Every structure is written in C-alpha cells, then in structure tokens.
Amino acid sequence: MSRYRIIIRAFTLRRDIASSVILARLLERAGAQVIIASGRDFTRLLRNWNPDAILINTVGQIKRCAELAPNASIILWPGEGAQPLPSSDATQLAQWPEAYERLSLALLWGPRNLDYFAQTMPHHDRSKLVMCGNPRLDMVKFNPDLLNVEKKTIGFIGRFHSLNRYNSVPAIFSLQYPEKRNGVVWQVESFITMITLIHRIINETDLLISIRPHPLEAPEGYEFFNEGPFEGRVEIDNSFDVADWTARQRVIITPSSQSFYESYVLGTPTIQMDQLSKTSDMIRQITPFAAMSQLVGYQPESYDEAIELIAHDPSVPPIQNDEVDVHLDEFHDWSSNTSSIARAEGAIMAHLANRKRPRGKAVPKALMQLWDRISFARVHKRDPLHQNFNYHESYHVIPDYYENVVNNIINGRSVYEAHTSKPITQPSAT
C-alpha cells in the first residue's frame, strides 16, 4: 500500500516553518509522505495530490479543505494556540458548528484549551480534541546546544507589521477601519522607542545589536540599518527558530509580545519598552496575553535607566513570575518534558490507521514538487517579497541542527526536567 500523503500548511513562514519541518521529519520516519505547503501551492495540492490528511493553522481553512479534498482528514494544528476565550479556536468553532463536525482532529496546546471547548461546545463530540502542547517550545526543550551558546548581542524584537508589512503594503492598509487606530499608534510609539534606544546604545556603548523582525514584517524594511551610524553595529535576523536567536542574546528589548515564552524559559532577561513608549495600558487592552510579558520584563521609566540596564555586565537577571508559570502550564503544557510535536505525530498516525484511504489518483509527490518549483520561480520574479511569507523547500535553507532536534525528540532527550522550567544540569549529548 502506498504511504499516507500528508499536507502541512505552514501559513506564516517565520512563525510556522520550524515546527512544521520537525513534524514533517517525524511523520516521514513513521512512513508518511509529507509536503509542507504555503499559500502559493496549498490549493493546488488539495486538488491534485489526493491527501490523506491536511494540517491547517486556522479554522478559516476548514471549508476550503472540505470542498477541494472531501475525502481527506482535516486536522487543526493551531498557529496561535494560546488565546483568551473570546478569540480562541473553541469560540470560533462554537459559532461555526458545521466546521467543527468536518474537523477530524484538533491538536491543542494546553489543558485550558480543552476547558474552553467544554464551555463553548458542551454537547459536541470532544474525542477529536488531543492536547499536545505548544510545538514551538520543542525547539527549546530538545536543543541542548542552547544552554551553552555564546551571548554576543543585544536583541530587539520587532512588532511593527502594520508599518512594515511583509508584502510592502503601506501602513494605511491597516487603517481601513477607525477601530484599528490604537494598534497602529501603538506600533508607531514602540518603533520610536526602539530606534531611540538603538541610537543611544550605538553612541554610548560598544555593544552589538541584533533585530528580529515580526513574522509578518519584511526584513527588507530594516535595510537602512546597513548604513550610516548603524553600519557594522546592527544585524537583522530572519532565521526561522526564535529559540535559537533568543539564546544568543545577552538581553532582549521588546514591546509586549508573545515571543517572551522562549526568553522566559531560556532565562534570557528582557527589558520592556511599554513604559517608555507609554503604551502599557493600550497593549493590555489590545492583546492581554502578549501583555503578560510585562510581568517578567524590566520596565524602565526613562531612557537613562534603560541604558543602565542594557550596559550592565553581567546582564540583568531574568524575572520569575508565578502567574506566567501557571500560564505556561495551562496554555502550553510546558511542565511536560515530552515532545508536543511527537504527540501530534502520534495522534495523526493513529487516526489515519483507523480510517479508509481516499480513493482516486494522486499526482506523484516529485511532480507536485517540480510543479511548485516552476510556480515559485514565476511568482518570485513577479513579487520579490513573496519568500518573506511563503515557504519553498529549495529557497529556504533548513539548518542542520534541526535533525539533532528530531533525534532528541525520538530518543526522549528533553533538556528540561519534568514538571519544572529548570534545565537539566548536564544535558544528554545529541
């Protein structure tokens, strides 16, 4: 019998691709054929590859998958699986019950997500809900090299996708509705704070700076950092794995962002810009879970105080917080030292083993990949920024250490002890 055909939709490149690659390799070792899709080739794969299973990041894709691949299992693997109840997948699916019925599995991040479904859909079948954990945190749990990496730079996290959109759409696009004003104003104030701090670091210290753009930003928007007073002092990081970047920073300076999970569990200290930009209250209203980063970051009230913290050597110690610890367990299942991605792979393969294969022909994988190489070349020629958001296996190079992460997951070599956020003193060798 031919191998299962599985599509993984890596919707947002620099958010989704690291965990998608790890899952793909685990599924391939289990005997499946896997193609990681982007917005460019997703519909084409649904129509022509006759998939056994389709992994999607958002509930909005369920209807399209059901129409174009009616015999496939549709599996929700959330791109953002830790949200407050009003914006959660459970609330969205409660408002769209026919989509929930068509869903075969939902690979949830933490136990609170199960509670949300119990609240919003108490009379629906919840056997399709499988708690797996936050897949992105596997890049921390199963990479012992992060514990000993040299910390060379001061890290800034960008969150300016309304100002610097990945496809170069102007900022006015984000102001189509008056209620979007606060989100754009917050980004403007945060960027002014960031650039002010960068100028002062360059003028008052000899420290090097690394900026990591938001996954919805265009790294090209930061090219002005290659010249003038910034030349030789600032690098722009567009790697796929935020954990690897985080581990290499002496300290991270950031507006409120859910990227704080990696810095928190890695013990990288953070400095919050919200007080300096006078946006603390605004961000708590817009994205309350991102605002939790305020609880674990130093919040200087002046630029002088911020520079003092940044220049301090050794770096300021990280802040621990009980509320954040509880959040990591309830929404991310962090206290388990098992792999979230391995649990997802096991649930997918167990599900497929108990259902009939879809009938009909399928274009061979190699031809689908050739088809997409031609498509990518054409789209990239027309849109040079296409690769900022859309994955292609030939263009985007996956680092070699991902294979070490896969091997550590398979062999159960977690860097962290069970039920704690503390790393094992001497991690197992890869």
Side-chain angles (χ1 to χ4, degrees):
M1 180 179 288
S2 62
R3 295 181 293 167
Y4 296 124
R5 294 178 295 274
I6 301 174
I7 300 170
I8 301 175
R9 184 175 185 259
F11 175 54
T12 304
L13 174 69
R14 282 178 284 122
R15 181 194 68 183
D16 300 326
I17 198 60
S19 50
S20 295
V21 168
I22 301 299
L23 177 59
R25 292 185 182 180
L26 290 174
L27 289 166
E28 287 167 347
R29 291 198 186 192
Q33 294 186 80
V34 183
I35 294 180
I36 299 176
S38 71
R40 179 190 59 258
D41 61 336
F42 185 57
T43 297
R44 182 166 59 243
L45 285 163
L46 295 179
R47 286 175 170 158
N48 297 282
W49 203 40
N50 195 15
D52 291 88
I54 309 157
L55 272 73
I56 54 175
N57 311 103
T58 61
V59 299
Q61 291 297 317
I62 296 173
K63 181 178 179 181
R64 177 158 61 143
C65 293
E67 290 175 349
L68 298 180
N71 298 316
S73 292
I74 302 172
I75 300 173
L76 178 64
W77 195 38
E80 297 293 347
Q83 299 292 342
L85 179 60
S87 56
S88 68
D89 290 329
T91 296
Q92 292 185 59
L93 287 166
Q95 297 167 353
W96 196 10
E98 63 271 21
Y100 183 77
E101 293 303 317
R102 183 60 183 84
L103 202 62
S104 298
L105 287 174
L107 307 176
L108 306 180
W109 283 17
R112 183 63 68 87
N113 304 115
L114 293 173
D115 294 340
Y116 283 173
F117 276 94
Q119 292 177 50
T120 60
M121 309 185 76
H123 305 299
H124 287 74
D125 172 26
R126 296 195 297 279
S127 64
K128 64 181 70 177
L129 306 176
V130 181
M131 190 187 74
C132 296
N134 181 343
R136 295 203 286 275
L137 291 181
D138 273 15
M139 303 303 290
V140 177
K141 285 185 179 180
F142 294 92
N143 188 357
D145 292 341
L146 300 187
L147 299 181
N148 303 308
V149 70
E150 185 178 0
K151 298 178 181 293
K152 294 183 177 180
T153 46
I154 303 299
F156 280 85
I157 293 179
R159 200 175 177 201
F160 312 114
H161 47 283
S162 293
L163 311 179
N164 179 37
R165 197 170 175 85
Y166 67 89
N167 55 1
S168 75
V169 169
I172 57 172
F173 177 83
S174 302
L175 291 169
Q176 297 177 62
Y177 302 99
E179 59 267 25
K180 300 293 185 180
R181 176 186 181 277
N182 282 351
V184 177
V185 169
W186 170 73
Q187 292 187 30
V188 171
E189 297 295 343
S190 295
F191 183 80
I192 293 299
T193 300
M194 183 182 85
I195 200 68
T196 302
L197 283 170
I198 289 174
H199 277 292
R200 291 200 56 171
I201 291 170
I202 289 173
N203 292 331
E204 300 174 31
T205 79
D206 59 358
L207 297 169
L208 300 177
I209 295 167
S210 179
I211 301 175
R212 183 175 178 86
H214 188 276
L216 296 179
E217 285 191 79
E220 292 82 357
Y222 292 86
E223 287 181 353
F224 66 88
F225 281 109
N226 295 325
E227 55 192 26
F230 313 109
E231 186 176 2
R233 297 289 298 277
V234 180
E235 68 170 16
I236 307 304
D237 179 88
N238 62 355
S239 62
F240 308 132
D241 179 8
V242 67
D244 179 70
W245 176 82
T246 298
R248 289 186 276 109
Q249 309 310 310
R250 289 179 49 187
V251 62
I252 288 175
I253 306 166
T254 177
S256 287
S257 167
Q258 292 197 51
S259 297
F260 83 91
Y261 301 133
E262 283 83 359
S263 60
Y264 185 74
V265 299
L266 282 165
T268 302
T270 59
I271 295 173
Q272 278 284 328
M273 298 193 300
D274 296 348
Q275 287 276 34
L276 292 175
S277 61
K278 297 179 173 55
T279 58
S280 297
D281 293 339
M282 186 184 297
I283 193 60
R284 281 194 288 268
Q285 294 173 4
I286 298 171
T287 54
F289 278 9
M292 289 188 72
S293 60
Q294 297 172 6
L295 300 174
V296 295
Y298 291 89
Q299 299 195 64
E301 296 184 357
S302 70
Y303 286 104
D304 288 342
E305 183 184 354
I307 293 297
E308 180 66 25
L309 286 168
I310 293 165
H312 191 271
D313 194 10
S315 297
V316 293
I319 298 173
Q320 297 294 122
N321 181 274
D322 291 343
E323 183 179 344
V324 172
D325 290 335
V326 170
H327 175 82
L328 281 167
D329 280 347
E330 291 187 348
F331 285 90
H332 305 262
D333 198 33
W334 169 251
S335 64
S336 169
N337 69 340
T338 57
S339 163
S340 164
I341 303 176
R343 281 184 275 175
E345 178 267 323
I348 294 164
M349 296 302 289
H351 166 75
L352 292 178
N354 289 300
R355 71 180 300 274
K356 293 182 179 180
R357 299 290 305 276
R359 295 182 178 180
K361 295 181 179 180
V363 174
K365 178 180 176 180
L367 289 181
M368 294 300 308
Q369 291 173 314
L370 175 61
W371 192 348
D372 190 48
R373 280 198 293 274
I374 296 169
S375 174
F376 177 77
R378 289 174 173 171
V379 174
H380 185 258
K381 185 176 181 180
R382 184 172 65 249
D383 176 13
L385 299 184
H386 175 77
Q387 75 282 354
N388 284 340
F389 195 75
N390 298 277
Y391 173 71
H392 188 269
E393 60 179 358
S394 296
Y395 183 92
H396 297 99
V397 179
I398 302 302
D400 292 339
Y401 74 84
Y402 280 42
E403 194 65 18
N404 295 335
V405 173
V406 172
N407 290 331
N408 287 335
I409 287 173
I410 290 173
N411 292 295
R413 299 187 189 125
S414 174
V415 179
Y416 289 78
E417 298 172 350
H419 309 299
T420 179
S421 60
K422 295 180 180 179
I424 297 170
T425 305
Q426 294 183 340
S428 303
T430 299

